[in-house]
Amino acid sequence: MPFDSTPERTAAEVGRVLGGRYRLLKRVGAGRFTDTYIGVNLSQSSRVAVKLLANECMADGWQQDESLIQGVLQAAEAASGLKHPHLAAIRDWGESDVGPYIVSEFLSGGSLRQMLASGYLLSPSQTLVVGLEAAQALVEIDRQGLVHGDVRPTNILFDRLGRTRLVDIGILGVLLAAETAGTLCSRPTFLPPEGLRYASPEQAQHLQPDHKSDIYSLVLVLTEALTGRVPFDSADPESTEVFKMSRQLDLAGQFASLGRVLESSVRPERDRRPTGAELAKSLFKVAETLPRPEPLPVPTEDPSAFVPLAGTPHTPPSSSAASGDDLTQDSPKRRGASVRKLMLAVLVVVVVGGFGGGGYWLWSNFFATQHTAVPNLLQVTEADLGAIVAESGWVLERLDVRQDGTTPGEVVRQEPVAGTRLAAGHTLRVFVSLGPELVAIPQNLVGRSLAEAQLALSAVGLEVGQTHAQHHEQVPEGAIVEVDAMFVEVLPASSVDLVISLGPEPRIVPEIAPGVSLAFATERLVETRLAIVETQEQSNDIPAGRVVRIEPIAGTQVLADSVVTVVVSSGPVEVAVPALATLPVTEAEAVLTDAMLCLGEIDGPSETEVVASDPPAGVTVPSGTCVRLITRP
């Protein structure tokens, strides 16, 4: 599709219809490369968010690099396949005369950037919830083989209930690549240093980001939400890069276990950072130590942002209407004149008809606030509830509760009660069930046997779910290592997964060289978590008190705490020199061999008999000693 090469796009885009169905209502955000609009899906009369390339980035990039459009659309298509409660849903994408556009769900709660810019800092509990929900979204992104690449407060949005949504998945990489190639410019007000505030060390070095790069950025965002400052941030981009590549996050002991999780998740080395699943698991454990979070101060939906019905024409005000005659068709003065004429006509009716019926008619239609009886909402679906509230002009406040004997989505209570007359603009509060009350998982299961855990869970109406085993250095074999549950409270009759200990990891018998001291051998075996038994044997090769060998041999796999035998030398084998006098030399040699001795020098002829030996007969010597023979001349 050919594009307008010189578009003039600011507020003039309001009213434009993209793809024949998405009318732009209001620009609500401007980034380094893109503009974000609130729009309406004309075919469904529902709000949407629409993202377009910024005016400053368009013409040259489109003309020089057609792959830019395809890259943006392909990134949108890839992101549309992600279905997760904490990812903003991509509804549609396409091309128009003002460039490629991406349509996503409308989120009325604003962004984390807006929240922080207002001076509001998150509590530890609120930070944990936002971090946990964002980490779960990153797990899904990674599971699909994608990388977000641009986790920052602007891309963390909230729905009307304050639930977290990540937006703009994978789009930044396409736009940065185009900018690097010289086919796309960024707005001069969005300087590169601003984009580096949340970048990982590898992104700051222009290396390929991965899922652990997203984790690094997320933890920087969470730290800012908690403390009001971005870690490692500096006015000098080079200093920021150096800090990220050489420093670790230090919260000076603040925020207890949450602070420790954040500190351990921001490492310069990628392989030392946790995965999204590991970060989520750590945050789940921290949640047990924190109070329930207060609701986030998300804004209510702007009532002035009118959503036109399908097919409703929209004509932006012309320049002449803004600067010409004050009494043109749609001018405020013209509307004011019309209202004054109507009020004058009403006053005539009052005067002619008297202050009885005419006065009542005037009061009830122009001055009195409309009151409507509140219906019984206990059997009403959520869809019908919205229609009732919209028709009566009430402000709906929906509160989630848990109540035994109810089903999720069921309205269990309302304020005010049915029959009460409520004025338009006043608040109708409904309490919607999330289901029955949750059951707390017993907290004393670790270290107990599986049978004991089954009894403890059964006592509160729960049961053992899946079990899997893993080695553990402290928990004995067969005992519970961990309760594998995301929350400390679960629905009644739920199954609770358990991790069972296999005992310590098997050990490999270490290498112990012959001749080392017994103390050295003992230290090596004890640090390997092996027990020792010592035995002794004589050895002509190994000095007394030194290790001869170990059993089993080095490299053998054994259970932890298995016994290894250390054989220690008690010294050489001692033998007595036999009586050799009168024996021929050949017989004397055989006798020496039998006595574990050897034949030494022969002093005299070897053909005559032995008359003496050196050492003499009866003397004790180490086995293997060579004996000198003295023969008859």
Side-chain angles (χ1 to χ4, degrees), residues 16-23 40-43 95-96 101:
R16 185 185 293 271
V17 177
L18 306 179
R21 61 188 303 188
Y22 303 109
R23 172 169 286 135
V40 60
N41 184 338
L42 297 176
S43 64
E95 302 177 39
S96 71
Y101 62 87

Side-chain angles (χ1 to χ4, degrees), residues 262-581:
L262 297 178
E263 288 176 339
S264 63
S265 302
V266 178
R267 306 280 191 180
E269 308 86 1
R270 271 195 249 205
D271 56 0
R272 296 185 64 196
R273 299 175 208 153
T275 62
E278 290 168 342
L279 176 59
K281 189 172 184 180
S282 297
L283 292 174
F284 273 125
K285 291 182 179 178
V286 172
E288 299 176 4
T289 67
L290 295 178
R292 289 182 179 273
E294 292 293 323
L296 289 173
V298 294
T300 57
E301 188 171 335
D302 180 8
S304 66
F306 171 65
V307 181
L309 297 177
T312 302
H314 178 93
T315 304
S318 65
S319 58
S320 61
S323 58
D325 187 354
D326 286 336
L327 295 181
T328 52
Q329 179 64 35
D330 294 323
S331 70
K333 290 188 177 181
R334 178 61 178 266
R335 289 195 299 269
S338 298
V339 171
R340 289 192 295 273
K341 289 180 179 179
L342 177 59
M343 291 299 294
L344 180 59
V346 170
L347 183 59
V348 171
V349 172
V350 174
V351 172
V352 173
F355 287 92
Y360 175 78
W361 183 88
L362 179 63
W363 169 261
S364 60
N365 286 277
F366 284 88
F367 301 106
T369 302
Q370 180 183 358
H371 288 71
T372 306
V374 177
N376 184 354
L377 304 174
L378 299 189
Q379 304 299 323
V380 172
T381 65
E382 288 196 63
D384 292 338
L385 182 63
I388 292 172
V389 170
E391 182 179 351
S392 304
W394 299 320
V395 176
L396 177 65
E397 182 179 352
R398 182 188 189 278
L399 300 174
D400 292 328
V401 297
R402 287 194 172 274
Q403 182 174 314
D404 290 337
T406 63
T407 58
E410 177 183 352
V411 178
V412 298
R413 186 155 55 95
Q414 66 184 75
E415 295 177 359
V417 298
T420 304
R421 298 190 67 81
L422 188 64
H426 284 215
T427 298
L428 174 64
R429 185 177 294 110
V430 295
F431 298 80
V432 181
S433 174
L434 294 174
E437 292 283 352
L438 298 178
V439 177
I441 299 174
Q443 297 299 298
N444 58 346
L445 299 182
V446 173
R448 303 175 71 175
S449 68
L450 180 59
E452 291 172 329
Q454 287 174 323
L455 289 175
L457 290 170
S458 177
V460 295
L462 304 176
E463 60 183 22
V464 174
Q466 295 182 344
T467 61
H468 64 274
Q470 69 180 38
H471 291 285
H472 197 281
E473 294 301 301
Q474 284 78 43
V475 180
E477 182 178 1
I480 305 301
V481 173
E482 181 183 354
V483 177
D484 192 10
M486 297 177 67
F487 301 98
V488 296
E489 295 179 325
V490 294
L491 290 172
S494 294
S495 297
V496 178
D497 297 341
L498 300 174
V499 181
I500 301 176
S501 176
L502 290 173
E505 292 274 1
R507 267 39 184 189
I508 303 298
V509 177
E511 184 76 35
I512 305 292
V516 302
S517 67
L518 177 60
F520 175 80
T522 300
E523 182 180 358
R524 287 292 312 278
L525 293 170
V526 168
E527 72 182 12
T528 311
R529 194 170 169 175
L530 295 172
I532 298 170
V533 62
E534 177 188 345
T535 64
Q536 293 190 338
E537 70 175 34
Q538 293 178 311
S539 172
N540 291 341
D541 301 318
I542 305 298
R546 297 283 176 166
V547 174
V548 177
R549 65 182 179 278
I550 58 173
E551 298 172 351
I553 63 173
T556 304
Q557 180 174 291
V558 295
L559 297 176
D561 303 315
S562 294
V563 174
V564 174
T565 300
V566 180
V567 181
V568 179
S569 172
S570 60
V573 178
E574 299 285 340
V575 297
V577 177
L580 302 173

